[in-house]
Amino acid sequence: GKWADAAAAFREARRIAPDGPRAAASLLAEGWCHEAEHDLAGAAACWTEAIERHPESASIAPALLARGDIRQRMGDPAAGLADAERVIGLATAGDVRGASEADARFLAGICHAAAGRPAVAIETFDALLAKHPEFPATDRVLFELGMAQSTTGDGVDAEATFADLRRRFPRSPRIADTWLETGEIRFGAADWAGAAAAYDELLALPTSDAGALVELARHKRAWTFAMRQEYAAAAEAFREQVAEHPQGECAADGRVMLGDALCRLGHYDEATTVLAAALAAPTGISSSELSGLATVRAAECEAKQERWQQSLALVDGWLEAVAGGRNGEDPVSGAASGTVPQARFARAWALQNLGRLDEALEEYRALADDGLAAGESTGHGPTELAARSRLMEGEVLFEQERHKDAIASFFKVAYGFGDRQAPAPFHAWQAQATFEAARCFEVIGKPDQARGLYAELVDRYPQSPHVAAARKRLDALPNAKK
């Protein structure tokens, strides 16, 4: 294991006999020393010298294979493939120095996969397994085959390949990886229960076998509960992940998701503490989406505790960072983030409760307009947040006693988002807008219009929580004059 000393000894051997019978083997071995010390460029240089200076030596095939592997690992799969094909050519020509033909085909498959040709990689691995069924590294071939199948979207075949690897090589060091990849395949297919089962299999392995994958498995397992909206289970799972891996690569994301789950459960005090810890080191959070989610949830927790100034400060700071492209984010992609509108809504809500009604009105109105424009540009229709923002625009106008303007805003929600054809998530906002418009008509002395809207609410949205209040108002209001 004294790699530097070994490399120096090999160099001394070549100094003594530059073209001696051990020169090529010396270069081959020195390259391995450099590789062991993670000096890939130095290793490649040794193997290149062996290949170019000693083309007739017995070290030619292993040098080509070693250099090809290094090249593809350094991001040049085409060069790696060229080295692998040279070894395959030697074997095809019957050159005894090409005895590592199976290794060369394995390297070729890896290079095809790295170059974005997973289908060719699959063909290469399949051919290798058929021609060399006793290949010593068959478990590695099976793993790379499964990865290539997964890349093509063939999750069924990939899972079968990983299962075959586990059955044939139960002590393979890649068992944990196969369970992780199986979990990822199922996660990508929205099979949350199946993904959780795969992550559980990984977590059941001895720690020595699971290694560094344990944290990621715990993190993704917790995500499966969040995706199922099982927030109590999600909170427990994320809490366990953060407790077991407080300094891990997924720790910051875990804290964000723990805070999210706690906030959704109404545990605002604890959520505030957890989210503050996550936001204290924002560079540890893996994406602007999660950073935004942490900010929005933290602001929501502050709002639930009526700490409006703190809520406003949180979203203002994050929106400023996104607009300026801070935290390593591109300002354009940040502006398109799905959490930006949520942060802006939280900002408007804080402004409204701080009595800064004109600013809140401007923000709500802009959010509604942006949501409508986004729906037109994408063809997906207006966003639910656009309807909610238009509703809040009406609420602010009502608070400012601009009742006729408020009615116009409420009508835009009740009838301007598809009316009866609006998607189900919009119905709650349509029902509330109908109720609020009726209230406005009462305030301005138009009970007939108010009765009509209350009756419409009861008829169209019988499950709305506003129905009981609407019925009371219908009983209280005088009947329309004939």
Side-chain angles (χ1 to χ4, degrees), residues 364-413:
Y364 284 135
R365 187 166 285 158
L367 268 171
D369 291 343
D370 290 349
L372 288 167
E376 292 178 0
S377 64
T378 62
H380 295 153
T383 64
E384 183 185 348
L385 190 62
R388 188 180 177 192
S389 299
R390 191 69 80 197
L391 173 70
M392 294 308 299
E393 173 190 318
E395 295 283 10
V396 173
L397 289 167
F398 185 95
E399 194 171 347
Q400 292 178 322
E401 299 185 355
R402 297 163 60 184
H403 298 108
K404 291 183 179 179
D405 291 337
I407 290 170
S409 295
F410 291 137
F411 275 10
K412 287 178 182 179
V413 179

Side-chain angles (χ1 to χ4, degrees), residues 329-349:
E329 294 293 337
D330 182 289
V332 176
S333 64
S337 165
T339 51
V340 167
Q342 296 177 48
R344 289 173 58 194
F345 188 91
R347 180 176 189 276
W349 179 236

Side-chain angles (χ1 to χ4, degrees), residues 180-203:
L180 180 67
E181 294 302 329
T182 297
E184 297 296 87
I185 291 168
R186 295 173 182 176
F187 195 100
D191 177 9
W192 314 123
Y199 300 134
D200 281 338
E201 291 285 355
L202 191 161
L203 293 170

Side-chain angles (χ1 to χ4, degrees), residues 15-94:
R15 187 194 65 77
I16 294 169
D19 296 309
R22 296 181 178 84
S26 170
L27 284 163
L28 181 65
E30 185 184 342
W32 289 332
C33 292
H34 289 303
E35 183 182 21
E37 292 196 308
H38 309 292
D39 177 11
L40 302 190
C46 284
W47 294 326
T48 296
E49 185 177 348
I51 293 164
E52 293 177 352
R53 290 193 58 184
H54 308 282
E56 301 302 320
S57 78
S59 299
I60 187 71
L64 283 166
L65 286 172
R67 186 179 70 171
D69 178 56
I70 289 291
R71 283 175 160 181
Q72 69 86 17
R73 285 160 58 191
M74 293 175 69
D76 191 353
L81 180 61
D83 284 342
E85 289 178 339
R86 281 184 65 179
V87 177
I88 295 171
L90 289 172
T92 303

Side-chain angles (χ1 to χ4, degrees), residues 157-415:
D157 279 357
E159 282 202 45
T161 299
F162 292 138
D164 188 33
L165 189 161
R166 292 191 295 270
R167 178 183 60 81
R168 294 171 60 185
F169 305 96
R171 297 310 306 159
S172 169
R174 291 165 185 80
I175 295 294
D177 296 89
T178 67
W179 281 121
L180 180 67
E181 294 302 329
T182 297
E184 297 296 87
I185 291 168
R186 295 173 182 176
F187 195 100
D191 177 9
W192 314 123
Y199 300 134
D200 281 338
E201 291 285 355
L202 191 161
L203 293 170
L205 296 173
T207 303
S208 58
D209 293 340
L213 300 182
V214 170
E215 181 195 8
L216 182 57
R218 282 200 172 107
H219 183 64
K220 293 304 294 285
R221 176 179 177 273
W223 263 101
T224 65
F225 294 117
M227 297 305 292
R228 284 179 277 182
Q229 300 183 358
E230 297 175 5
Y231 296 116
E236 180 181 354
F238 282 118
R239 195 193 310 278
E240 178 186 4
Q241 174 223 319
V242 172
E244 292 292 331
H245 312 276
Q247 304 301 322
E249 291 186 4
C250 301
D253 287 358
R255 290 186 182 94
V256 172
M257 294 306 298
L258 172 58
D260 174 68
L262 291 169
C263 181
R264 291 175 185 273
L265 292 167
H267 302 164
Y268 302 120
D269 282 343
E270 185 182 1
T272 297
T273 301
V274 171
L275 292 167
L279 291 169
T283 55
I285 302 174
S286 65
S287 69
S288 63
E289 287 293 321
L290 280 178
S291 177
L293 176 64
T295 302
V296 169
R297 290 288 177 261
E300 182 179 337
C301 288
E302 297 289 3
K304 290 292 185 179
Q305 298 168 87
E306 299 188 1
R307 296 197 290 257
W308 304 110
Q309 195 61 54
Q310 293 93 321
S311 180
L312 180 62
L314 279 165
V315 290
D316 273 349
W318 186 73
L319 288 169
E320 180 186 353
V322 170
R326 298 213 304 267
N327 299 329
E329 294 293 337
D330 182 289
V332 176
S333 64
S337 165
T339 51
V340 167
Q342 296 177 48
R344 289 173 58 194
F345 188 91
R347 180 176 189 276
W349 179 236
L351 289 169
Q352 181 180 353
N353 282 278
L354 286 167
R356 295 162 61 177
L357 298 184
D358 288 341
E359 294 174 77
L361 180 63
E362 182 180 356
E363 189 72 90
Y364 284 135
R365 187 166 285 158
L367 268 171
D369 291 343
D370 290 349
L372 288 167
E376 292 178 0
S377 64
T378 62
H380 295 153
T383 64
E384 183 185 348
L385 190 62
R388 188 180 177 192
S389 299
R390 191 69 80 197
L391 173 70
M392 294 308 299
E393 173 190 318
E395 295 283 10
V396 173
L397 289 167
F398 185 95
E399 194 171 347
Q400 292 178 322
E401 299 185 355
R402 297 163 60 184
H403 298 108
K404 291 183 179 179
D405 291 337
I407 290 170
S409 295
F410 291 137
F411 275 10
K412 287 178 182 179
V413 179
Y415 310 112

Side-chain angles (χ1 to χ4, degrees), residues 84-159:
E85 289 178 339
R86 281 184 65 179
V87 177
I88 295 171
L90 289 172
T92 303
D95 193 321
V96 293
R97 296 171 303 163
S100 301
E101 181 247 357
D103 288 316
R105 293 193 182 279
F106 179 46
L107 175 58
I110 292 175
C111 290
H112 284 303
R117 297 187 293 271
V120 181
I122 291 169
E123 292 178 4
T124 305
F125 293 135
D126 280 339
L128 169 59
L129 292 170
K131 187 173 181 180
H132 302 279
E134 302 301 322
F135 182 52
T138 294
D139 66 324
R140 289 186 61 197
V141 179
L142 287 170
F143 181 74
E144 295 296 341
L145 172 60
M147 292 297 291
Q149 290 167 332
S150 178
T151 300
T152 64
D154 193 348
V156 174
D157 279 357
E159 282 202 45

